[in-house]
Amino acid sequence: AQTVTQSQPEMSVQEAETVTLSCTYDTSESDYYLFWYKQPPSRQMILVIRQEAYKQQNATENRFSVNFQKAAKSFSLKISDSQLGDAAMYFCAYRRPGGSYIPTFGRGTSLIVHP
Amino acid sequence: NAGVMQNPRHLVRRRGQEARLRCSPMKGHSHVYWYRQLPEEGLKFMVYLQKENIIDESGMPKERFSAEFPKEGPSILRIQQVVRGDSAAYFCASSPDSGNTEAFFGQGTRLTVV
């Protein structure tokens, strides 16, 4: 079974600084998808960024970028120029390919942004 | 196009009562997934449904929990004879197909059993 591990229960960053959230996963598949979701206090799950395993180029969305290391099964999220609105729980997720789409989530990292 | 709609947002039940959680997927989405989030934990998969079919219920407790996604109407997650340990946030997500797209989440239902 696939597992997703987020080893940092909580991270802190100063406003305008950069922070990296780590995620590792375990799979025997060669093709899959990885996601970072943000969950603010409103509890709404918001997709931040997505990476296809077959793409070597790291995904980027404005201030959010990933460092995808397929061989190491690592998928970290970098947030640049952190803003107070970035404070939230961040979940890493893995999705199997093919007809059965059931994302597997890590336990989450709580990001605190200090003004 | 409205997002995934879950209701109620908050539900309080006494021990032994039944809880019914509703999820209306995004328009055009025929795949629904239910997750449970316990305090300080991530999302635990419960069940995956397509219209009128349960595809994967490997995450569902064997007793008291059931789910359906009828041809017409929302998907329902039903918990019978609730216990305090059922208190959690329950999230529904939908997808237009089982291919290359992410799941879109509702805002969740916070169930509190007193």
Side-chain angles (χ1 to χ4, degrees), chain B residues 15-112:
Chain B
R15 282 177 293 172
Q17 291 185 318
E18 178 180 286
R20 291 171 69 88
L21 288 62
R22 294 175 183 77
C23 169
S24 296
M26 287 181 71
K27 187 176 180 181
H29 289 196
S30 58
H31 301 255
V32 168
Y33 318 86
W34 285 93
Y35 290 84
R36 177 164 62 177
Q37 184 179 29
L38 295 168
E40 309 303 322
E41 293 196 11
L43 293 165
K44 298 291 187 184
F45 166 74
M46 298 182 75
V47 62
Y48 163 34
L49 310 103
Q50 295 180 19
K51 281 288 186 180
E52 300 185 277
N53 288 302
I54 296 174
I55 307 302
D56 186 334
E57 57 182 347
S58 58
M60 287 275 273
K62 292 292 185 282
E63 297 177 348
R64 302 187 299 108
F65 285 72
S66 62
E68 63 177 9
F69 189 16
K71 187 177 181 180
E72 300 290 338
S75 176
I76 305 289
L77 179 67
R78 182 181 176 205
I79 311 173
Q80 295 178 293
Q81 299 174 334
V82 296
V83 301
R84 289 230 171 103
D86 297 333
S87 295
Y90 292 83
F91 286 90
C92 168
S94 73
S95 174
D97 56 46
S98 54
N100 304 333
T101 60
E102 70 274 13
F104 295 82
F105 280 83
Q107 289 194 286
T109 294
R110 169 78 67 184
L111 172 66
T112 302

Side-chain angles (χ1 to χ4, degrees), chain A residues 81-102:
Chain A
D81 185 25
S82 297
Q83 300 175 1
L84 295 177
D86 294 334
M89 284 290 290
Y90 286 82
F91 292 98
C92 178
Y94 164 98
R95 197 204 84 187
R96 296 177 293 173
S100 181
Y101 175 128
I102 306 173

